[in-house]
C-alpha cells in the first residue's frame, strides 16, 4: 500500500469510527480446537426460507449462535439480505413486477423489494416473509443474541458496498468493541472487497471465500483472518497449511468450510481440523461433530 493510499485509508477509517491501531483481541468465535463452530447458512435455511427473519429464528430455536447471510444494495442504496443477484428464485418479483426482467436486485428500490413475498416459494406457512433490510436483520439478531457472518455478495456490482455495510453496522452498534471482538465476521468471494473492509476498519474480523493456492496464502493473510473454502475443495493438508499461517490480526488463520449439510461430510470436515462449518442443517452438523 502506498503512503498516500494508507493515509486515505486511515482518513476514511477514522470517519467510520475505527480504532485505527489494531486491537489485539479478535473474535473469531473459538473452535477451541474441539468441535467446529456451526454457522447457519443463510439462516437455518433447510427449515425456513433463506435469508429471512424466519431463518434467523429457526437457527435460534436450534440454539445456533452464528448466522451467515448475504448482503446486496438496492437501486436507492439500501442494504438488503438476499443471496441471488436477481429476485426471481426466492420472491414473487416476476408476478408483482412483470416487465422488469431480469429482476436484478440493483434495479429495484427498497420500497419495491419490501412488497415481495420471500417465503411462499419455500412453503405456504412462510407466505408473507419479506426480504429483510440489513438493519431489520441486525435487530432480529440482537433480539435473539446471535452473531453474524456477513457476506458481501457480488461486490463488483455494487461500488461502495463495503463502506455502506460498515456505515450501517456502525450505526446499529455492530462495530462496538464487544461485537467486533465476539460477534461479527465480514467475508466475501471478492478479495478486493475483503481488502477494502480491512483497510476501512482494521479491527473487523474478515474472511475470504475461496481456496487460494497454498503458495498464495501469505498474501491473503495480510488482509484476512479466515480462508473459507467449499468443502469439496479441501483436504487435511490444505487445512493445516492455512492454519499454519497467521492472519491479519496475528492469530492463526482459520478455515470455515461450506456448505456441509450431512452428518458424514460434517464428521469428515471435523476430522480435517476445520475451525467452522457453514451449513443449512446446523442441528445435523452440530450433532455429527459433537
Ligand atoms: O458462507 C459461505 C457460502 O455462503 C458461500 O456461498 O453461494 O451460499 O453465498 P453462497
Ligand atoms: Ca453466502
Amino acid at each position: 500500500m502506498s503512503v498516500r493510499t494508507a493515509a486515505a485509508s486511515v482518513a476514511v477509517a477514522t470517519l467510520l469510527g475505527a480504532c485505527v491501531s489494531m486491537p489485539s483481541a479478535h473474535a473469531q468465535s473459538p473452535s477451541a480446537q474441539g468441535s467446529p463452530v456451526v454457522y447457519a447458512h443463510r439462516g437455518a435455511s433447510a427449515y425456513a426460507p433463506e435469508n429471512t427473519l424466519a431463518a434467523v429464528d429457526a437457527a435460534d430455536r436450534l440454539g445456533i449462535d452464528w448466522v451467515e447471510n448475504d448482503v446486496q444494495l438496492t437501486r436507492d442504496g439500501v442494504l438488503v439480505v438476499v443471496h441471488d443477484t436477481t429476485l426471481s428464485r426466492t420472491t414473487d418479483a416476476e408476478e408483482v413486477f412483470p416487465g422488469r426482467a431480469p429482476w436484478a436486485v440493483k434495479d429495484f428500490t427498497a420500497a419495491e423489494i419490501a412488497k415481495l413475498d420471500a417465503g411462499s416459494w419455500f412453503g405456504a406457512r412462510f407466505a408473507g416473509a419479506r426480504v429483510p433490510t440489513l438493519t431489520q436483520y441486525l435487530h432480529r439478531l440482537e433480539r435473539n443474541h446471535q452473531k453474524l457472518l456477513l457476506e458481501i455478495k457480488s461486490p463488483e456490482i455494487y461500488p461502495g458496498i463495503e463502506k455502506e455495510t460498515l456505515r450501517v453496522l456502525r450505526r446499529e452498534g455492530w462495530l462496538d468493541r464487544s461485537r467486533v471482538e465476539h460477534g461479527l465476521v465480514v467475508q466475501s468471494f471478492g478479495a478486493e472487497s475483503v481488502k477494502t473492509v480491512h483497510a476501512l476498519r482494521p479491527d473487523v474480523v474478515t474472511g475470504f471465500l475461496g481456496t487460494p493456492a497454498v503458495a498464495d496464502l501469505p498474501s491473503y493473510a495480510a488482509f484476512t483472518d479466515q480462508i473459507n473454502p467449499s468443502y469439496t475443495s479441501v483436504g487435511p493438508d490444505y487445512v493445516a497449511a492455512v492454519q499454519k499461517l497467521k492472519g491479519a490480526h496475528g492469530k492463526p488463520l482459520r478455515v470455515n468450510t461450506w456448505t456441509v449439510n450431512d452428518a458424514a461430510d460434517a464428521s469428515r470436515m471435523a476430522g480435517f481440523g476445520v475451525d467452522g462449518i457453514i451449513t443449512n442443517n446446523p442441528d445435523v452438523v452440530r450433532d455429527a461433530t459433537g
Side-chain angles (χ1 to χ4, degrees):
M1 188 185 282
S2 71
V3 172
R4 184 177 295 181
T5 309
S9 295
V10 168
V12 178
T14 305
L15 276 175
L16 285 164
C19 171
V20 173
S21 63
M22 305 268 234
S24 56
H26 272 93
Q28 312 193 63
S29 89
S31 68
Q33 296 308 312
S35 308
V37 175
V38 179
Y39 298 83
H41 181 239
R42 311 181 196 172
S45 56
Y47 307 111
E50 64 183 57
N51 280 325
T52 63
L53 300 185
V56 173
D57 290 345
D60 184 48
R61 281 194 296 276
L62 295 170
I64 301 300
D65 287 342
W66 279 95
V67 177
E68 189 261 5
N69 74 0
D70 303 284
V71 169
Q72 301 184 55
L73 273 176
T74 64
R75 193 174 86 196
D76 51 344
V78 177
L79 289 159
V80 288
V81 180
V82 60
H83 177 271
D84 297 4
T85 54
T86 64
L87 296 159
S88 298
R89 180 177 63 86
T90 58
T91 77
D92 57 352
E94 294 190 14
E95 278 167 47
V96 178
F97 297 106
R100 296 279 295 274
W103 297 280
V105 173
K106 69 176 175 57
D107 294 336
F108 285 79
T109 64
E112 288 171 334
I113 289 175
K115 294 182 179 143
L116 301 175
D117 179 342
S120 291
W121 71 274
F122 190 85
R125 75 188 175 94
F126 295 103
R130 300 294 166 197
V131 174
T133 63
L134 177 59
T135 302
Q136 291 166 338
Y137 197 92
L138 294 173
H139 291 172
R140 184 58 61 98
L141 292 175
E142 284 161 28
R143 189 196 78 172
N144 295 349
H145 304 288
Q146 289 168 296
K147 305 172 185 187
L148 178 60
L149 173 58
L150 182 156
E151 181 185 341
I152 298 178
K153 181 56 81 186
S154 303
E156 65 284 359
I157 302 178
Y158 306 108
I161 189 170
E162 299 83 10
K163 192 171 169 189
E164 181 60 13
T165 300
L166 291 170
R167 192 185 70 78
V168 171
L169 288 169
R170 183 182 181 215
R171 187 189 69 204
E172 298 301 326
W174 280 72
L175 297 187
D176 294 355
R177 179 179 282 259
S178 68
R179 279 234 171 70
V180 165
E181 291 185 353
H182 303 293
L184 175 71
V185 177
V186 177
Q187 66 174 357
S188 182
F189 283 102
E192 289 307 315
S193 187
V194 181
K195 272 186 208 172
T196 300
V197 170
H198 180 65
L200 293 175
R201 281 291 304 218
D203 53 338
V204 170
V205 176
T206 57
F208 174 71
L209 282 162
T211 316
V214 169
D216 295 333
L217 288 172
S219 65
Y220 286 83
F223 61 87
T224 195
D225 306 283
Q226 304 181 351
I227 298 291
N228 297 340
S230 164
Y231 82 99
T232 59
S233 70
V234 296
D237 293 348
Y238 187 81
V239 173
V242 174
Q243 292 169 335
K244 204 166 70 179
L245 296 171
K246 290 211 163 83
H249 295 101
K251 306 221 166 164
L253 270 178
R254 295 202 170 209
V255 178
N256 295 323
T257 192
W258 45 274
T259 305
V260 180
N261 294 329
D262 72 57
D265 288 331
S267 298
R268 198 158 53 86
M269 289 302 121
F272 289 178
V274 300
D275 298 283
I277 296 179
I278 301 166
T279 171
N280 300 343
N281 301 76
D283 51 339
V284 172
V285 170
R286 180 183 53 201
D287 292 349
T289 59

